[in-house]
Amino acid sequence: MIREFQLKCSLCEQPFGTEGKLYYRPFYGMSSDLRDVEFICPACIEAWHNKWKIKNAVFHEHDYVMTVDLTLEDGTTYENMDCTPLDETETVVVGEDIPVEAQQKLYTIFKAWDLERKAHILKDCTFADGFMNMTFSCETYGGEKFTDVAFRFNMKGVLQTAVPVPDYVKEQIVEAYRLYEAQMSDDEVPSASSEEE
């Protein structure tokens, strides 16, 4: 038997008809009844899209947790929203249900922020042990390159380089060199062998 189903918006509670698309919010409970699905009228969908016009976004990362502070075109602000950038879809998912266009705009802002924060971070670094000197070659994510730079540590343990190198690179070189030395000392430890026969 064919039955009529009256559509009522779950947001504004007004009845509505469809014009090619039906918008809904899935119900994630135990029920699979169609009556538990929250249908949304085109007017509320349009209002939702209009609300989520992003004016500004500021990203933060602390202890591997990414958050974002949002300011919308209408002046609404959201602070410390958990977010997850997804490179596969070029979107940023936040703790609110927002349109895909807003997620994509957030991703564009995120990528610019991510590139800026990584610009001074070393992408790679190698060391070479030459006769009476050590050299390093490295590159930052921002594209700065330093090739075969001779260096040494003075009596106070401060890194000195043969050519000027920014302090933010020197700090990372010191850390990388400590790891390099630890790795080299592990490689040089002779394997234990029994000489008793």
Side-chain angles (χ1 to χ4, degrees):
M1 176 181 219
I2 297 174
R3 295 193 173 136
E4 183 179 287
F5 189 79
Q6 176 74 42
L7 294 175
K8 183 171 123 180
C9 179
S10 298
L11 300 178
C12 68
E13 299 188 355
Q14 296 298 313
F16 69 95
T18 63
E19 297 169 5
K21 289 184 180 179
L22 184 61
Y23 300 98
Y24 67 95
R25 182 179 294 145
F27 179 75
Y28 295 107
M30 296 299 288
S31 172
S32 61
D33 194 332
L34 185 61
R35 288 175 293 208
D36 292 325
V37 174
E38 295 181 349
F39 292 100
I40 303 167
C41 71
C44 286
I45 287 295
E46 184 178 351
W48 177 62
H49 278 274
N50 290 336
K51 172 188 168 64
W52 286 100
K53 302 266 187 222
I54 296 172
K55 181 178 181 180
N56 189 30
V58 179
F59 288 89
H60 311 280
E61 185 177 28
H62 181 70
D63 292 335
Y64 304 104
V65 175
M66 184 80 63
T67 59
V68 63
D69 297 336
L70 290 180
T71 304
L72 305 181
E73 294 286 346
D74 68 3
T76 306
T77 59
Y78 294 86
E79 294 183 356
N80 293 321
M81 294 179 76
D82 287 340
C83 65
T84 305
L86 303 172
D87 293 327
E88 303 82 27
T89 57
E90 296 188 347
T91 57
V92 173
V93 178
V94 296
E96 290 281 332
D97 196 8
I98 69 173
V100 172
E101 302 82 39
Q103 293 177 6
Q104 291 169 337
K105 182 164 184 179
L106 276 178
Y107 186 80
T108 302
I109 297 168
F110 165 76
K111 285 307 278 184
W113 172 79
D114 194 42
L115 183 61
E116 183 180 326
R117 77 180 175 135
K118 287 182 175 176
H120 297 295
I121 296 176
L122 291 184
K123 182 168 54 172
D124 59 49
C125 180
T126 58
F127 295 96
D129 194 359
F131 179 71
M132 299 288 291
N133 75 335
M134 285 287 296
T135 61
F136 67 82
S137 296
C138 65
E139 181 179 1
T140 66
Y141 280 99
E144 291 177 282
K145 292 182 181 179
F146 303 91
T147 307
D148 296 327
V149 177
F151 71 96
R152 70 182 184 98
F153 290 92
N154 67 17
M155 297 296 284
K156 294 182 180 179
V158 176
L159 176 68
Q160 295 178 326
T161 57
V163 297
V165 174
D167 288 341
Y168 58 84
V169 172
K170 284 183 179 180
E171 290 168 6
Q172 295 174 79
I173 293 297
V174 168
E175 186 61 32
Y177 189 68
R178 284 187 186 135
L179 294 172
Y180 171 79
E181 278 190 316
Q183 181 183 3
M184 295 307 288
S185 66
D186 287 346
D187 290 345
E188 291 173 3
V189 173
S191 58
S193 60
S194 172
E195 294 191 13
E196 296 177 9
E197 294 190 16

